[in-house]
Amino acid sequence: MLDSGDPIDAVYLDFRKAFNSVLHQGLHAKITAYGINAHVLDWIHALLVDRKQRVVVNSCLPAWLEVLSGIPQGSVLGHILFVIFMIDLPDMIRSTAHIFADDTKLYMKSSSENDWAQLQVDL
């Protein structure tokens, strides 16, 4: 427990758009590491790959581009995949992390510029 006089630096991270930044390759590796059944893995792979998008501006139709990242939102599976992608974040940083849905709070006791630098590295 921290003393009331200990300085605490905290940063709040909002992952509202994080669903769009999950790289398919990294997610696939994590799911495989969890030992997911090959048929389920194929099903998840089919959900994520071979998606294309384009943005129409002033009636100009550009070419379709392959979507290399992102989890389709609005489904139960999308949230589960995001949790799988994020679940090991606290193990990979030195700050303390509290994750709830798409919000994360990182904090640590700070007594020097090195501590602030470490918090920045964790970000």
Side-chain angles (χ1 to χ4, degrees), residues 1-11 94-96 106-120 122:
M1 191 74 176
L2 296 171
D3 295 332
S4 60
D6 289 334
I8 303 293
D9 282 318
V11 179
R94 289 184 43 202
S95 302
T96 301
L106 297 183
Y107 64 93
M108 68 185 316
K109 178 181 174 182
S110 62
S111 56
S112 70
E113 287 189 26
N114 288 339
D115 294 335
W116 301 327
Q118 182 58 51
L119 185 60
Q120 186 63 43
D122 290 346

CSV table of all heavy atoms in Angstrom, one decimal, residues 1-11 94-96 106-120 122:
chain,number,residue,atom,x,y,z
A,1,MET,N,0.8,-1.2,0.0
A,1,MET,CA,0.0,0.0,0.0
A,1,MET,C,0.9,1.2,0.0
A,1,MET,O,1.9,1.3,0.7
A,1,MET,CB,-0.9,0.0,1.2
A,1,MET,CG,-2.0,0.9,1.2
A,1,MET,SD,-3.2,0.4,0.0
A,1,MET,CE,-4.4,1.6,0.3
A,2,LEU,N,0.5,2.2,-0.7
A,2,LEU,CA,1.3,3.5,-0.8
A,2,LEU,C,0.9,4.4,0.3
A,2,LEU,O,-0.2,4.5,0.8
A,2,LEU,CB,1.0,4.2,-2.1
A,2,LEU,CG,1.4,3.4,-3.4
A,2,LEU,CD1,0.9,4.1,-4.6
A,2,LEU,CD2,2.9,3.3,-3.5
A,3,ASP,N,1.9,5.1,0.9
A,3,ASP,CA,1.7,6.1,1.9
A,3,ASP,C,1.0,7.3,1.2
A,3,ASP,O,1.1,7.5,0.0
A,3,ASP,CB,3.0,6.6,2.5
A,3,ASP,CG,3.7,5.5,3.2
A,3,ASP,OD1,3.0,4.6,3.8
A,3,ASP,OD2,5.0,5.6,3.3
A,4,SER,N,0.2,8.0,2.0
A,4,SER,CA,-0.6,9.1,1.4
A,4,SER,C,0.3,10.2,0.9
A,4,SER,O,-0.1,11.0,0.0
A,4,SER,CB,-1.5,9.7,2.5
A,4,SER,OG,-0.8,10.2,3.6
A,5,GLY,N,1.6,10.3,1.3
A,5,GLY,CA,2.5,11.3,0.8
A,5,GLY,C,3.2,10.9,-0.4
A,5,GLY,O,4.0,11.7,-1.0
A,6,ASP,N,3.1,9.6,-0.9
A,6,ASP,CA,3.8,9.2,-2.1
A,6,ASP,C,3.2,9.8,-3.3
A,6,ASP,O,2.0,9.8,-3.5
A,6,ASP,CB,3.7,7.7,-2.2
A,6,ASP,CG,4.6,6.9,-1.2
A,6,ASP,OD1,5.5,7.5,-0.7
A,6,ASP,OD2,4.2,5.8,-0.9
A,7,PRO,N,4.1,10.4,-4.1
A,7,PRO,CA,3.6,11.0,-5.4
A,7,PRO,C,3.2,9.8,-6.4
A,7,PRO,O,3.9,8.9,-6.5
A,7,PRO,CB,4.7,11.8,-6.0
A,7,PRO,CG,5.9,11.3,-5.3
A,7,PRO,CD,5.5,10.7,-4.0
A,8,ILE,N,2.1,10.0,-7.0
A,8,ILE,CA,1.6,8.9,-7.9
A,8,ILE,C,1.4,9.6,-9.3
A,8,ILE,O,0.7,10.7,-9.3
A,8,ILE,CB,0.2,8.3,-7.5
A,8,ILE,CG1,0.4,7.7,-6.1
A,8,ILE,CG2,-0.3,7.3,-8.5
A,8,ILE,CD1,1.2,6.5,-6.0
A,9,ASP,N,1.9,9.1,-10.3
A,9,ASP,CA,1.6,9.5,-11.6
A,9,ASP,C,0.7,8.5,-12.3
A,9,ASP,O,0.9,7.3,-12.2
A,9,ASP,CB,2.9,9.7,-12.5
A,9,ASP,CG,3.7,10.9,-12.1
A,9,ASP,OD1,3.0,12.0,-12.0
A,9,ASP,OD2,4.9,10.8,-12.0
A,10,ALA,N,-0.4,9.0,-12.9
A,10,ALA,CA,-1.3,8.1,-13.5
A,10,ALA,C,-1.7,8.6,-14.9
A,10,ALA,O,-1.7,9.8,-15.1
A,10,ALA,CB,-2.6,8.0,-12.7
A,11,VAL,N,-1.9,7.7,-15.8
A,11,VAL,CA,-2.3,8.0,-17.1
A,11,VAL,C,-3.5,7.2,-17.5
A,11,VAL,O,-3.6,6.0,-17.2
A,11,VAL,CB,-1.2,7.7,-18.1
A,11,VAL,CG1,-1.6,8.0,-19.5
A,11,VAL,CG2,0.1,8.4,-17.8
A,94,ARG,N,6.1,-2.1,-16.7
A,94,ARG,CA,6.5,-2.0,-15.3
A,94,ARG,C,5.5,-1.2,-14.5
A,94,ARG,O,5.5,-1.4,-13.3
A,94,ARG,CB,7.9,-1.4,-15.3
A,94,ARG,CG,8.9,-2.3,-15.8
A,94,ARG,CD,10.4,-1.8,-15.7
A,94,ARG,NE,10.7,-1.2,-14.4
A,94,ARG,CZ,11.7,-0.3,-14.3
A,94,ARG,NH1,12.4,0.0,-15.3
A,94,ARG,NH2,11.9,0.2,-13.1
A,95,SER,N,4.7,-0.4,-15.1
A,95,SER,CA,3.6,0.3,-14.4
A,95,SER,C,2.6,-0.6,-14.0
A,95,SER,O,2.5,-1.7,-14.5
A,95,SER,CB,3.0,1.4,-15.3
A,95,SER,OG,4.0,2.3,-15.7
A,96,THR,N,1.7,-0.2,-13.1
A,96,THR,CA,0.5,-1.0,-12.7
A,96,THR,C,-0.6,-0.6,-13.7
A,96,THR,O,-0.8,0.5,-14.0
A,96,THR,CB,0.1,-0.6,-11.3
A,96,THR,OG1,1.2,-0.9,-10.4
A,96,THR,CG2,-1.1,-1.4,-10.9
A,106,LEU,N,-2.9,3.3,-16.3
A,106,LEU,CA,-1.6,3.0,-15.9
A,106,LEU,C,-1.1,3.9,-14.8
A,106,LEU,O,-1.3,5.1,-14.9
A,106,LEU,CB,-0.6,3.1,-17.1
A,106,LEU,CG,-0.8,2.3,-18.3
A,106,LEU,CD1,0.3,2.6,-19.3
A,106,LEU,CD2,-0.8,0.8,-18.0
A,107,TYR,N,-0.5,3.4,-13.8
A,107,TYR,CA,0.1,4.3,-12.8
A,107,TYR,C,1.3,3.6,-12.1
A,107,TYR,O,1.5,2.4,-12.1
A,107,TYR,CB,-1.0,4.7,-11.7
A,107,TYR,CG,-1.6,3.6,-10.9
A,107,TYR,CD1,-1.0,3.2,-9.7
A,107,TYR,CD2,-2.7,2.8,-11.4
A,107,TYR,CE1,-1.5,2.2,-8.9
A,107,TYR,CE2,-3.2,1.8,-10.6
A,107,TYR,CZ,-2.6,1.5,-9.4
A,107,TYR,OH,-3.1,0.5,-8.6
A,108,MET,N,2.1,4.5,-11.4
A,108,MET,CA,3.2,4.0,-10.7
A,108,MET,C,3.6,5.1,-9.7
A,108,MET,O,3.4,6.3,-9.9
A,108,MET,CB,4.4,3.7,-11.6
A,108,MET,CG,5.0,4.8,-12.4
A,108,MET,SD,6.3,4.4,-13.6
A,108,MET,CE,7.2,3.2,-12.8
A,109,LYS,N,4.3,4.7,-8.7
A,109,LYS,CA,4.9,5.6,-7.7
A,109,LYS,C,6.1,6.3,-8.4
A,109,LYS,O,6.9,5.6,-9.1
A,109,LYS,CB,5.4,4.8,-6.5
A,109,LYS,CG,6.1,5.7,-5.5
A,109,LYS,CD,6.5,4.9,-4.3
A,109,LYS,CE,7.3,5.7,-3.3
A,109,LYS,NZ,7.9,5.0,-2.2
A,110,SER,N,6.1,7.6,-8.3
A,110,SER,CA,7.2,8.3,-9.0
A,110,SER,C,8.0,9.1,-8.0
A,110,SER,O,7.4,9.9,-7.2
A,110,SER,CB,6.6,9.2,-10.1
A,110,SER,OG,5.8,10.2,-9.6
A,111,SER,N,9.3,9.0,-8.1
A,111,SER,CA,10.2,9.8,-7.2
A,111,SER,C,11.3,10.4,-8.0
A,111,SER,O,12.2,11.0,-7.4
A,111,SER,CB,10.7,8.9,-6.1
A,111,SER,OG,11.3,7.8,-6.6
A,112,SER,N,11.3,10.1,-9.3
A,112,SER,CA,12.4,10.7,-10.1
A,112,SER,C,12.0,10.8,-11.6
A,112,SER,O,10.9,10.3,-12.0
A,112,SER,CB,13.7,9.8,-10.0
A,112,SER,OG,13.4,8.5,-10.7
A,113,GLU,N,12.8,11.5,-12.3
A,113,GLU,CA,12.5,11.6,-13.8
A,113,GLU,C,12.6,10.2,-14.4
A,113,GLU,O,11.9,10.0,-15.5
A,113,GLU,CB,13.5,12.6,-14.4
A,113,GLU,CG,13.2,14.0,-14.1
A,113,GLU,CD,14.0,15.0,-14.9
A,113,GLU,OE1,14.4,14.7,-16.0
A,113,GLU,OE2,14.2,16.1,-14.4
A,114,ASN,N,13.4,9.3,-13.9
A,114,ASN,CA,13.5,7.9,-14.5
A,114,ASN,C,12.1,7.2,-14.4
A,114,ASN,O,11.7,6.5,-15.3
A,114,ASN,CB,14.5,7.1,-13.7
A,114,ASN,CG,15.9,7.5,-14.1
A,114,ASN,OD1,16.2,8.2,-15.1
A,114,ASN,ND2,16.9,7.2,-13.2
A,115,ASP,N,11.4,7.5,-13.3
A,115,ASP,CA,10.1,6.9,-13.1
A,115,ASP,C,9.1,7.4,-14.2
A,115,ASP,O,8.3,6.7,-14.7
A,115,ASP,CB,9.5,7.1,-11.7
A,115,ASP,CG,10.3,6.4,-10.6
A,115,ASP,OD1,10.9,5.4,-10.9
A,115,ASP,OD2,10.3,6.9,-9.5
A,116,TRP,N,9.2,8.7,-14.4
A,116,TRP,CA,8.3,9.4,-15.4
A,116,TRP,C,8.7,8.8,-16.8
A,116,TRP,O,7.8,8.6,-17.6
A,116,TRP,CB,8.5,10.9,-15.4
A,116,TRP,CG,8.1,11.5,-14.0
A,116,TRP,CD1,7.2,11.0,-13.2
A,116,TRP,CD2,8.7,12.6,-13.5
A,116,TRP,NE1,7.1,11.8,-12.0
A,116,TRP,CE2,8.1,12.8,-12.2
A,116,TRP,CE3,9.7,13.5,-13.8
A,116,TRP,CZ2,8.4,13.9,-11.3
A,116,TRP,CZ3,10.0,14.5,-13.0
A,116,TRP,CH2,9.4,14.7,-11.8
A,117,ALA,N,10.0,8.6,-17.0
A,117,ALA,CA,10.4,8.1,-18.3
A,117,ALA,C,9.9,6.7,-18.5
A,117,ALA,O,9.5,6.3,-19.6
A,117,ALA,CB,11.9,8.1,-18.4
A,118,GLN,N,9.9,5.9,-17.4
A,118,GLN,CA,9.4,4.5,-17.5
A,118,GLN,C,7.9,4.5,-17.8
A,118,GLN,O,7.5,3.7,-18.6
A,118,GLN,CB,9.7,3.7,-16.2
A,118,GLN,CG,9.2,2.3,-16.3
A,118,GLN,CD,9.9,1.5,-17.4
A,118,GLN,OE1,11.1,1.5,-17.5
A,118,GLN,NE2,9.1,0.8,-18.2
A,119,LEU,N,7.2,5.4,-17.2
A,119,LEU,CA,5.7,5.5,-17.5
A,119,LEU,C,5.5,5.8,-19.0
A,119,LEU,O,4.7,5.2,-19.6
A,119,LEU,CB,5.1,6.5,-16.6
A,119,LEU,CG,3.6,6.6,-16.7
A,119,LEU,CD1,2.9,5.3,-16.3
A,119,LEU,CD2,3.1,7.8,-15.8
A,120,GLN,N,6.4,6.7,-19.5
A,120,GLN,CA,6.3,7.0,-20.9
A,120,GLN,C,6.6,5.8,-21.8
A,120,GLN,O,5.9,5.6,-22.8
A,120,GLN,CB,7.2,8.2,-21.2
A,120,GLN,CG,7.1,8.7,-22.6
A,120,GLN,CD,5.7,9.3,-22.9
A,120,GLN,OE1,5.1,10.0,-22.0
A,120,GLN,NE2,5.1,9.0,-24.0
A,122,ASP,N,6.1,2.7,-21.0
A,122,ASP,CA,5.0,1.8,-20.9
A,122,ASP,C,3.8,2.3,-21.8
A,122,ASP,O,3.1,1.5,-22.3
A,122,ASP,CB,4.5,1.7,-19.4
A,122,ASP,CG,5.5,0.9,-18.6
A,122,ASP,OD1,6.4,0.3,-19.1
A,122,ASP,OD2,5.3,1.0,-17.3
